[in-house]
């Protein structure tokens, strides 16, 4: 089979399209003929060798490495101990994440734990299904239901999603990206008023998704323009996420998708909560997300698609930024 491998860490140029053996499913696993693969930030972090992660927290990657975790495809073979899936079933899944940060999804075939999979609904094509996986689960576990009791590696406090309803105001930073555009729609599904932050080019797109208010961060600073919101989901996160503390009312919450530096004493003084999630695989939650997409409650936006062989070009598109929705590789 053909797969994308990296033999060294670096830029998009290290991604090679090569012939490799078809993997064999182990106990509890199925073999999936991959149709589409969602591209996510962890794919880039792994390709670069995760230089921004402290050495003591950096996972060990065995090279050569086939990156990728998000797949939509068709079951090709099933281990003897697997029940609930059969050859020919269409499935989607976030594979082994975060236990294994890269699971070999940039390939024509991949093995997958059956527990990580959900049946793909017929009303959703493989490209949109693959695009939904990690981004959708991240938005779901931050905003709707955590679904597990594993703490974030960045803090001891357990994340508990704030209950959202028609009285809630939610600000989403990075609202046009993969996580952001789905989080916006989930918050609207719960009835919340949503303020979307992105560059001006995305205003029409985000208002079509339901944004009640739009802030162009290239023209004004959202942390200065907004006050008394109940919840900030910072889909950009990182060191600058702390600036959003001033936008919250007492009792509010800040959820940075990529965790930054926060002071527990400052948070307590302000009367706010700051918690983060490390997204985890969940076939059950993927089934719920698909149901919403199939019913038209949420829309999965595709920025662009690339053939598997052009993974380098896809990563170059990631590097250019200003992405609207998701970038997807196609393997069929």
């Amino acid at each position: 089979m053909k797969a994308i491998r990296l033999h060294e860490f670096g830029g998009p140029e290290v991604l090679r399209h090569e012939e490799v053996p078809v993997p064999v499913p182990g106990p509890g696993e199925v073999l999936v003929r991959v149709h589409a693969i969602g591209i996510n930030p962890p794919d880039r972090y792994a390709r670069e060798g995760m230089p921004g992660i402290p050495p003591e927290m950096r996972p060990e990657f065995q090279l050569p490495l086939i990156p990728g975790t998000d797949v939509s495809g068709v079951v090709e073979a099933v281990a003897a101990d697997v029940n609930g899936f059969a050859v020919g079933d269409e499935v989607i899944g976030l594979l082994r994440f975060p236990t294994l940060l890269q699971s070999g999804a940039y390939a024509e075939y991949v093995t997958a734990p059956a527990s990580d999979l959900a049946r793909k609904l017929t009303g959703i094509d493989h490209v949109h299904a693959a695009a939904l996986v990690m981004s959708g689960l991240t938005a779901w576990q931050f905003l709707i239901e955590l679904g597990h009791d594993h703490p974030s590696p960045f803090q001891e406090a357990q994340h508990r999603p704030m209950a959202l309803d028609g009285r809630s105001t939610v600000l989403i930073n990075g609202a046009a990206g993969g996580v952001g555009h789905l989080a916006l729609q989930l918050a609207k599904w719960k009835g919340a008023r949503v303020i979307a932050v992105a560059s001006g080019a995305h205003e029409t797109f985000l208002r079509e998704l339901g944004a009640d208010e739009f802030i162009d961060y290239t023209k004004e600073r959202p942390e200065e323009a907004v006050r008394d919101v109940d919840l900030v989901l910072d889909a950009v996160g990182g060191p600058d996420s702390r600036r959003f503390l001033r936008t919250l009312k007492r009792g509010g919450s800040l959820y940075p998708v990529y965790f930054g530096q926060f002071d527990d004493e400052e948070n307590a003084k302000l009367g706010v909560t700051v918690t983060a999630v490390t997204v985890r695989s969940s076939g059950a939650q993927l089934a719920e997300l698909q149901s919403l997409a199939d019913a038209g409650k949420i829309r999965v936006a595709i920025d662009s698609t690339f053939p598997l062989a052009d993974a380098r070009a896809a990563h170059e598109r990631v590097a250019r930024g200003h992405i609207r929705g998701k970038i997807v590789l196609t393997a069929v």
Side-chain angles (χ1 to χ4, degrees), residues 85-273:
F85 291 105
V87 173
D89 287 344
E90 292 189 322
V91 294
I92 68 172
L94 170 62
L95 308 185
R96 304 181 181 87
F97 198 90
T99 305
L100 187 63
L101 293 183
Q102 299 295 302
S103 294
Y106 285 26
E108 294 178 328
Y109 293 90
V110 67
T111 57
S115 59
D116 290 351
L117 298 174
R119 278 193 174 81
K120 184 183 79 65
L121 297 184
T122 56
I124 304 172
D125 62 35
H126 286 290
V127 167
H128 287 82
L132 179 64
V133 180
M134 181 180 283
S135 292
L137 285 174
T138 300
W140 187 271
Q141 290 174 18
F142 265 104
L143 295 181
I144 309 300
E145 178 195 23
L146 183 57
H148 61 79
D149 58 4
H150 298 276
S152 165
F154 300 104
Q155 64 176 161
E156 294 181 3
Q158 179 68 277
H159 177 77
R160 301 191 185 283
M162 174 184 288
L164 299 177
D165 57 28
R167 297 166 296 179
S168 309
T169 298
V170 179
L171 183 147
I172 298 178
N173 185 44
V179 173
H181 88 287
L182 293 170
L184 185 162
Q185 295 174 83
L186 288 176
K188 290 300 297 181
W189 172 59
K190 284 295 185 179
R193 175 176 175 267
V194 177
I195 304 168
V197 179
S199 66
H202 300 303
E203 180 174 3
T204 299
F205 166 65
L206 293 171
R207 289 194 181 277
E208 288 174 349
L209 294 183
D212 299 284
E213 184 178 338
F214 177 81
I215 296 176
D216 180 351
Y217 71 84
T218 68
K219 295 181 178 179
E220 59 180 328
R221 299 180 65 84
E223 70 273 19
E224 296 175 356
V226 178
R227 288 292 183 274
D228 295 326
V229 301
D230 298 284
L231 172 64
V232 173
L233 177 71
D234 185 1
V236 179
D240 289 339
S241 193
R242 189 170 174 175
R243 66 194 169 114
F244 287 106
L245 290 173
R246 71 180 75 174
T247 70
L248 296 168
K249 64 174 60 172
R250 293 192 69 84
S253 293
L254 169 59
Y255 301 158
V257 172
Y258 192 87
F259 208 72
Q261 296 295 320
F262 294 91
D263 186 313
D264 290 339
E265 291 186 5
E266 179 186 21
N267 298 343
K269 184 177 180 179
L270 293 171
V272 302
T273 300

Side-chain angles (χ1 to χ4, degrees), residues 35-39 125-132 300-315 317-318 320 323-332:
H35 284 236
I37 308 111
I39 292 181
D125 62 35
H126 286 290
V127 167
H128 287 82
L132 179 64
V300 184
I302 304 300
D303 176 274
S304 49
T305 62
F306 295 82
L308 178 65
D310 291 339
R312 173 177 175 174
H315 276 236
R317 170 71 191 97
V318 172
R320 290 195 298 273
I323 294 166
R324 180 179 297 180
K326 292 287 295 186
I327 299 172
V328 177
L329 297 174
T330 56
V332 173

